[in-house]
Amino acid sequence: MPTNNFIESSFWNFDSLYQPQQHPARDQHDTFFLSGKNETLDATHLAEFHQIEGVVADKDLTLGHLMGVLHQFFTKLGITKLRFKPAYNPYTEPSMEVFSYHEGLKKWVEVGNSGVFRPEMLLPMGLPEDVSVIAWGLSLERPTMIKYGINNIRELVGHKVNLQMVYDSPICRLDS
Amino acid sequence: MPTVGVKRDFLFKALGRTYTDEEFDELCFEFGLELDEITSEKEIISREQGDSKASGASDVILYKIDVPANRYDLLCLEGLVRGLQVFKNKLEPPRYRRVSPDSGGPQRLIITKETLAVRPHAVAAVLRNITFTQERYDSFIELQEKLHQNICRKRSLVAIGTHDLDTISGPFTYTAKAPGDICFRPLNQTKEYTATQLMSLYRTDSHLRHYLPIIEDKPVYPLIQDSNGTVLSMPPIINGDHSRIRLQTKNIFIECTATDLTKAKIVLDIIVTTFSEYCAQPFTVEQAEVVYPDGKTCIYPELAYRKEKLSAEFINKKVGISESTERIAQLLTRMCLLSQPTGVRDEIEVEIPPTRPDVIHACDIMEDAAIAYGFNNITRTTPPTYTVANQFPLNKLTELLRQDMAAAGFTEALNFAL
């Protein structure tokens, strides 16, 4: 499988990830099929964002391990209060949405999605049965909002960014 | 992710207790739902159309609950309540049964070969002696709409039609005719239209116009009629007014036409399992017979239960917990997956009901055990593989400074390292 493509085939993008044939993600308006865009933007949603992905493959990984990894991962971003909610992805089971407490908005905000890959995805690749893969994905924007107390994602990305805020804010160093 | 709107007080009444918003939010979170919004009809209209349009609208509190995309059984108040009550051990998972009619043969839906060109599949069932209240009726209509939007992929894969059985008489025929040959009085209209005229009429209907392209250009349009030629529906567009369901309706004939038979069966099962609660014999569904163009017959609804076996060790290992076989069987039963230890080592037999088409393999069962255990009760552990790396602080700082220094006019150059 070529790994240097900006544009991916439907087979590698959907079929190999156990995405059903008629799944909405394959629709024109949920995937950028080289043309067209149809997304609603609001305070916590963008159409384009910086995505971070993590994957750990080993023998006998558990859901508890996934939570432990996520805890360590987010602690490094300065986010320590986490809760996990059962969710659904076509290619992971179990799946969890990761929530963190936003002190400014005074509510739990979703900061990422995660799960354990379904065996139906791994076995066809030739991986042994006892190998499990835990994975998670998140955007850069939401944890930044939480860490810096920003309430509207469009203050960080897009044409509504406050340039004075960018100029005045110190350079970003996440060291603890 | 679909959102289901329910009246809060009806929800609490059905759940048998009241909750504060925080308590209910917590319950949703645990179960895998999200209490997205607490609002009212008045507030919604006010926000979308302005305060003046909102006066007179209801300010009954509505809960908007986000439901996972693969849980068709949770798409209405009845489904949510049942799922939550079983989860909280307040209710046993119901047993859904398909029954023969008390007298006479089952209702028959005969499919003709003309449908092959446009929408070849159909399934059907009957809900007998049902009692509607205004809320139940609204919920019944709303569930069909939710299913249409989700698993039915905006009616393109499956279209649902529900009819007052006492206004029509079987056997029913599912065929396809040229648009000019179809003429009937559709729902909410006072006169008859041909199908061609309906295509024009609904072109400006904000709701129905989206479905017209599904059949518009086909040489024949799907049509369901009873033995007297009364039109029940022209799927996937509109039902006939004659067989419309009313508050007083007691017997319902449900038909789902489809391009995807698997989904049609799931949709039918979801509707009948959810609303058979209100039948005189709760959770029983009267069977119907579908006859194919080649003469083959099928009985619906399938209401299939299936059994899977797995070990407690499998679940404990995958989740990262350490529970006994009996306890795991109890956890699964709370998720409507009726389970018992078989007595052979730590083996558990799990029964998957027709309301859970999302349970495909063992990992789906394992997830439900984890949900019942409580995701946030699971101990967080670190995998042995895991190494926590750290970027060298000097490297981090120089990365941050490089761009701005170049912008300030300096030129970056790479010197030799050795």
Side-chain angles (χ1 to χ4, degrees):
Chain A
M1 172 201 159
T3 53
N4 60 340
N5 290 344
F6 279 112
I7 298 157
E8 198 48 85
S9 70
S10 280
F11 174 77
W12 287 114
N13 203 52
F14 293 123
D15 295 289
S16 67
L17 294 176
Y18 208 63
Q19 204 106 342
Q21 287 294 314
Q22 291 143 340
H23 193 271
R26 295 188 192 239
D27 271 359
Q28 286 281 339
H29 56 264
D30 277 356
T31 302
F32 299 125
F33 281 111
L34 295 181
S35 68
K37 179 165 112 164
N38 186 349
E39 294 280 355
T40 326
L41 309 182
D42 62 31
T44 50
H45 292 90
L46 291 173
E48 308 156 27
F49 49 90
H50 293 85
Q51 178 122 332
I52 303 164
E53 310 269 350
V55 169
V56 182
D58 197 2
K59 296 193 189 228
D60 302 328
L61 291 175
T62 71
L63 192 59
H65 284 139
L66 175 54
M67 291 177 179
V69 166
L70 288 167
H71 180 73
Q72 299 228 8
F73 181 84
F74 278 99
T75 301
K76 295 218 136 220
L77 297 177
I79 294 168
T80 49
K81 247 165 130 179
L82 289 184
R83 268 168 89 204
F84 302 102
K85 185 181 144 283
Y88 166 68
N89 298 308
Y91 41 89
T92 56
E93 190 84 9
S95 319
M96 310 192 299
E97 276 164 16
V98 188
F99 282 74
S100 169
Y101 195 71
H102 191 299
E103 295 293 344
L105 292 174
K106 289 262 176 284
K107 64 182 207 171
W108 291 89
V109 170
E110 188 184 337
V111 291
N113 201 331
S114 65
V116 182
F117 279 171
R118 294 188 72 106
E120 296 93 331
M121 247 189 80
L122 304 173
L123 297 172
M125 306 275 185
L127 293 168
E129 250 186 80
D130 57 353
V131 169
S132 42
V133 181
I134 56 177
W136 66 101
L138 62 148
S139 73
L140 259 188
E141 282 75 11
R142 291 257 186 102
T144 308
M145 284 169 69
I146 289 176
K147 189 163 171 67
Y148 289 91
I150 297 169
N151 289 355
N152 192 321
I153 208 168
R154 285 166 292 189
E155 289 176 35
L156 289 175
V157 187
H159 57 284
K160 293 194 174 173
V161 168
N162 182 342
L163 293 175
Q164 191 66 42
M165 184 267 283
V166 178
Y167 188 78
D168 291 338
S169 295
I171 207 165
C172 171
R173 301 183 70 185
L174 299 164
D175 274 319
S176 57
Chain B
M1 186 181 289
T3 306
V4 181
V6 294
K7 292 182 183 164
R8 180 196 61 186
D9 296 337
F10 275 98
L11 178 66
F12 287 170
K13 183 148 168 261
L15 289 172
R17 60 159 281 194
T18 57
Y19 290 82
T20 62
D21 293 339
E22 290 72 32
E23 283 169 342
F24 192 72
D25 184 76
E26 187 59 46
L27 174 61
C28 284
F29 197 88
E30 231 189 299
F31 191 59
L33 307 169
E34 208 170 318
L35 180 57
D36 189 48
E37 207 189 344
I38 303 167
T39 182
S40 67
E41 214 179 84
K42 195 177 222 162
E43 227 179 87
I44 296 171
I45 298 177
S46 201
R47 198 173 49 208
E48 290 172 6
Q49 298 173 42
D51 288 340
S52 50
K53 292 257 161 61
S55 68
S58 160
D59 50 9
V60 162
I61 302 285
L62 293 174
Y63 271 175
K64 298 266 185 168
I65 301 173
D66 277 349
V67 165
N70 63 340
R71 292 298 299 270
Y72 313 114
D73 60 313
L74 301 175
L75 287 175
C76 62
L77 180 137
E78 286 78 5
L80 284 166
V81 166
R82 211 172 293 169
L84 288 169
Q85 292 293 68
V86 176
F87 183 61
K88 297 308 263 175
N89 271 323
K90 297 250 178 69
L91 191 70
E92 300 267 316
R95 193 124 210 101
Y96 306 102
R97 287 186 308 123
R98 183 178 74 194
V99 296
S100 315
D102 280 342
S103 59
Q107 295 297 331
R108 297 172 78 220
L109 179 65
I110 300 160
I111 308 180
T112 72
K113 62 179 184 349
E114 285 80 8
T115 62
L116 291 172
V118 59
R119 200 171 184 87
H121 304 288
V123 297
V126 172
L127 288 173
R128 260 307 153 196
N129 293 316
I130 198 168
T131 305
F132 275 132
T133 60
Q134 187 63 53
E135 278 70 35
R136 295 175 185 183
Y137 174 85
D138 292 341
S139 192
F140 186 65
I141 302 298
E142 190 55 22
L143 175 63
Q144 291 174 59
E145 190 48 37
K146 284 278 178 294
L147 289 168
H148 273 153
Q149 289 306 311
N150 293 297
I151 185 177
C152 302
R153 300 305 314 286
K154 299 196 173 67
R155 301 193 193 181
S156 60
L157 300 182
V158 185
I160 307 162
T162 56
H163 311 276
D164 187 331
L165 185 55
D166 298 326
T167 63
I168 46 181
S169 73
F172 306 101
T173 309
Y174 173 42
T175 185
K177 291 187 179 170
D181 296 340
I182 298 173
C183 191
F184 67 103
R185 185 161 62 89
L187 201 59
N188 294 324
Q189 298 295 336
T190 48
K191 67 183 184 90
E192 292 196 345
Y193 291 83
T194 65
T196 324
Q197 289 169 329
L198 286 176
M199 289 292 141
S200 303
L201 180 71
Y202 292 139
R203 204 164 301 287
T204 49
D205 183 299
S206 59
H207 182 219
L208 293 176
R209 66 191 167 97
H210 305 287
Y211 309 123
L212 303 181
I214 301 172
I215 55 167
E216 201 162 20
D217 295 328
K218 303 272 192 259
V220 287
Y221 292 176
L223 193 71
I224 302 187
Q225 294 173 283
D226 78 348
S227 57
N228 296 322
T230 309
V231 170
L232 272 67
S233 59
M234 185 177 77
I237 310 296
I238 191 85
N239 286 358
D241 196 81
H242 180 94
S243 56
R244 69 186 301 164
I245 308 253
R246 292 177 164 73
L247 267 190
Q248 317 90 298
T249 298
K250 295 308 285 175
N251 301 299
I252 303 179
F253 179 68
I254 305 170
E255 38 86 0
C256 301
T257 56
T259 51
D260 182 325
L261 181 61
T262 306
K263 295 197 164 66
K265 293 196 257 188
I266 293 173
V267 166
L268 185 65
D269 278 359
I270 295 291
I271 299 176
V272 299
T273 50
T274 309
F275 283 90
S276 56
E277 182 183 344
Y278 301 134
C279 291
Q281 271 195 294
F283 307 119
T284 63
V285 185
E286 188 181 292
Q287 68 195 37
E289 197 177 87
V290 172
V291 185
Y292 286 92
D294 62 358
K296 190 180 88 171
T297 62
C298 277
I299 306 280
Y300 292 109
E302 281 199 348
L303 289 186
Y305 281 84
R306 72 174 210 277
K307 291 192 173 4
E308 298 275 353
K309 286 200 174 104
L310 36 72
S311 68
E313 193 209 338
F314 167 76
I315 303 225
N316 281 327
K317 235 176 103 165
K318 291 288 181 188
V319 179
I321 55 177
S322 177
E323 293 292 303
S324 68
T325 312
E326 289 73 29
R327 180 93 168 97
I328 292 184
Q330 284 167 9
L331 290 176
L332 290 171
T333 304
R334 278 176 58 203
M335 303 304 289
C336 290
L337 302 175
L338 192 61
S339 302
Q340 353 226 25
T342 59
V344 178
R345 287 184 310 274
D346 66 342
E347 198 184 53
I348 302 172
E349 191 179 70
V350 183
E351 189 187 64
I352 298 144
T355 47
R356 296 300 304 274
D358 61 296
V359 176
I360 305 172
H361 290 133
C363 55
D364 300 284
I365 298 172
M366 178 260 293
E367 183 188 60
D368 268 25
I371 295 174
Y373 184 86
F375 273 16
N376 294 294
N377 295 330
I378 300 170
T379 315
R380 305 169 185 187
T381 52
T382 311
T385 7
Y386 192 53
T387 55
V388 181
N390 227 332
Q391 206 177 351
F392 195 49
L394 182 61
N395 277 24
K396 275 178 81 166
L397 184 59
T398 50
E399 278 298 317
L400 290 167
L401 293 174
R402 284 172 63 222
Q403 294 244 18
D404 292 284
M405 289 186 70
F410 286 90
T411 307
E412 183 182 12
L414 280 179
N415 56 319
F416 290 128
L418 299 171

